[in-house]
Amino acid sequence: QDVVDFHGEHQAGIVTPAQDRLCFASLNVLTKDRAELISLLKDWTAACRRITRGLDVTETGFDGGSEYAPPQDTGEAHDLSAAHLTVTVGFGRSLFQDSSGKDRFGLKAHLPKGLIELPHFAGDQLEDARTGGDLCIQACADDPQVAVHAVHNLIRMGFGVVSTRWMQLGFGRTSSTSTAQATPRNLFGFKDGTANLKAEDSAAIDDHVWVRDDSWLSGGTYLVARRIRMILETWDREALSGQEKIIGRTKGTGAPLSGGEEFTPVDLNMMGSGNQPIVPVDSHVRLAHPDTNHGVQMLRRGYNYADGTDTLGNMDVGLFFIAMVKDPATGFVPIQKKLAREDALSEYLRHTGSGLFAVPPGVPADENAYLGQQLF
Ligand code: HEM
């Protein structure tokens, strides 16, 4: 009962209730051979069909093959359950054309219109080694070893065809994506995911998440990843009331500052003392709210991360922000532009990594079907 079906109209790991753990990898494609790329996607599909059921990558498994060949599965998840593993694969802009615009695999004509070059946002401090990529793999599970095993094995199977560009582990999901889930807290201690799109609201998911057109991407979506470092050393010295004004919600229950309970809709028009709005003009919730963004919503599916310390001994911790959107140009870029400039929260954040990927539709149960088939 801890199995999430790999098959379906859409890839799993998007509206699937967010699992506890993330292993995310961005890959470079090394081969120049389109057939090799397709063959890898077929191998990945076959592997995903098994590992999402809690099985080894192949029937031969991690100790059943020839003693003279490397094992067909690396073994670390052999005794573990499926732990709600989902594997979601996406394609970066650089898969379709290289930086000089050259077609790499005969795919340039199929570059989806939403797979744009993300602009530089105010305050961005993106590191090359944490940015971009030809392919991405998002593995989510309730057990970190299961998520890592998935990415580990897909990368291993691609030896010589792909190489790892960057990788990110995440814990303690920072969003709820189902009404059945309690809202978790991020590393600033605030409930995160309260006003998120929820899987049960299929009309809103249709409006804001799934691409619907006559292209290969129809039924898919776009995944925006941002590695956002949170400067805890500064945040932790901010007074409670200051923290709440920056977010626009209370720290305790997560209710909007305009009143009510956690899920009471925020009233952006309510005025407070000094004839100032109770939900401040530079608060995160006001600036990210659909009412101040032409009705735009996104499916947030991020995770906390903690990657040790920097050379000064400051904690390198934060939020690995993931959002699924129908069109990044309208559904992410304008909001992030605004947040980067006006959001009081920005003072405590540093964007250090970034990626944008087109996520193809799901794989049918038919055994000949494979990930991304619609593109090829
Ligand atoms: C809401 C935290 C980055 C978009 C929230 C809430 C918190 C929060 C505490 C209120 C609870 C909720 O409704 O989920 C953070 C932190 C961030 C971050 C700590 C960075 C480390 C971003 C980014 C975006 C974003 C980069 C998009 C570009 C939103 C949206 C909402 C929201 C759309 C819901 C607003 C509403 O409808 O009320 N965030 N956030 N957040 N955030 Fe963020």
Side-chain angles (χ1 to χ4, degrees):
Q1 65 281 36
D2 64 356
V3 171
V4 178
D5 193 359
F6 172 71
H7 304 107
E9 185 194 356
H10 312 291
Q11 286 194 64
I14 302 168
V15 293
T16 307
Q19 303 92 323
D20 290 336
R21 304 291 186 135
L22 166 80
C23 180
F24 191 99
S26 163
L27 311 177
N28 294 324
V29 176
L30 303 175
T31 183
K32 293 188 166 57
D33 182 352
R34 179 181 161 114
E36 258 187 5
L37 176 62
I38 294 175
S39 166
L40 178 63
L41 290 167
K42 288 183 177 168
D43 291 348
W44 280 2
T45 306
C48 288
R49 288 194 162 114
R50 292 183 54 89
I51 57 179
T52 53
R53 284 186 288 141
L55 303 172
D56 289 341
V57 166
T58 63
E59 213 173 321
T60 306
F62 78 114
D63 69 345
S66 158
E67 63 177 296
Y68 301 108
Q72 294 183 13
D73 184 293
T74 55
E76 69 268 33
H78 181 75
D79 308 303
L80 306 175
S81 76
H84 294 116
L85 172 69
T86 57
V87 181
T88 316
V89 169
F91 302 147
R93 184 179 167 90
S94 51
L95 187 71
F96 296 81
Q97 57 176 64
D98 67 15
S99 51
S100 58
K102 210 172 118 231
D103 199 351
R104 290 181 64 191
F105 298 101
L107 298 175
K108 191 173 169 177
H110 301 291
L111 176 71
K113 75 171 181 18
L115 202 51
I116 52 174
E117 202 89 68
L118 286 179
H120 173 89
F121 298 103
D124 269 3
Q125 294 186 25
L126 302 184
E127 297 163 25
D128 253 3
R130 302 185 192 278
T131 298
D134 299 330
L135 296 174
C136 78
I137 305 169
Q138 175 199 263
C140 299
D142 291 330
D143 181 331
Q145 183 129 332
V146 170
V148 170
H149 170 261
V151 170
H152 177 191
N153 278 269
L154 298 195
I155 291 174
R156 180 188 55 79
M157 292 164 70
F159 185 74
V161 182
V162 290
S163 67
T164 317
R165 188 178 170 95
W166 49 272
M167 201 165 169
Q168 183 68 54
L169 289 183
F171 63 93
R173 63 186 167 84
T174 57
S175 268
S176 34
T177 55
S178 160
T179 50
Q181 293 183 298
T183 316
R185 289 181 190 269
N186 59 36
L187 295 178
F188 284 159
F190 275 76
K191 288 195 179 181
D192 203 339
T194 302
N196 199 15
L197 281 179
K198 301 281 154 74
E200 290 79 4
D201 191 351
S202 51
I205 296 281
D206 253 341
D207 282 352
H208 298 283
V209 177
W210 305 129
V211 173
R212 298 281 184 204
D213 57 19
D214 55 6
S215 79
W216 64 270
L217 191 57
S218 191
T221 185
Y222 293 93
L223 184 157
V224 187
R226 303 285 290 180
R227 183 177 185 275
I228 310 177
R229 184 162 166 190
M230 293 161 53
I231 316 300
L232 298 190
E233 289 82 358
T234 324
W235 176 262
D236 294 343
R237 289 201 294 265
E238 180 66 49
L240 175 61
S241 63
Q243 294 186 355
E244 292 182 331
K245 282 187 184 128
I246 290 167
I247 298 292
R249 290 181 173 273
T250 65
K251 194 159 189 173
T253 64
L257 293 187
S258 49
E261 309 294 326
E262 182 189 349
F263 293 103
T264 307
V266 50
D267 180 351
L268 296 176
N269 300 318
M270 187 182 283
M271 300 305 275
S273 60
N275 213 23
Q276 292 296 316
I278 278 199
V279 180
V281 289
D282 60 353
S283 64
H284 183 66
V285 158
R286 172 183 291 275
L287 294 166
H289 195 277
D291 286 0
T292 64
N293 293 290
H294 309 286
V296 163
Q297 284 180 268
M298 55 184 82
L299 180 70
R300 287 173 285 140
R301 212 177 186 287
Y303 287 83
N304 299 317
Y305 77 82
D307 289 347
T309 51
D310 63 17
T311 47
L312 300 172
N314 293 317
M315 291 180 272
D316 182 3
V317 302
L319 195 158
F320 190 70
F321 175 92
I322 295 177
M324 311 288 184
V325 296
K326 190 191 201 97
D327 179 11
T330 55
F332 175 75
V333 172
I335 302 185
Q336 178 50 29
K337 261 193 184 151
K338 189 162 65 142
L339 293 180
R341 291 197 176 282
E342 299 173 37
D343 190 356
L345 192 60
S346 297
E347 191 184 327
Y348 305 88
L349 306 179
R350 192 177 304 154
H351 289 236
T352 56
S354 179
L356 174 63
F357 302 91
V359 177
V363 181
D366 164 13
E367 67 171 299
N368 295 315
Y370 64 93
L371 275 163
Q373 181 169 18
Q374 303 81 348
L375 172 61
F376 299 92

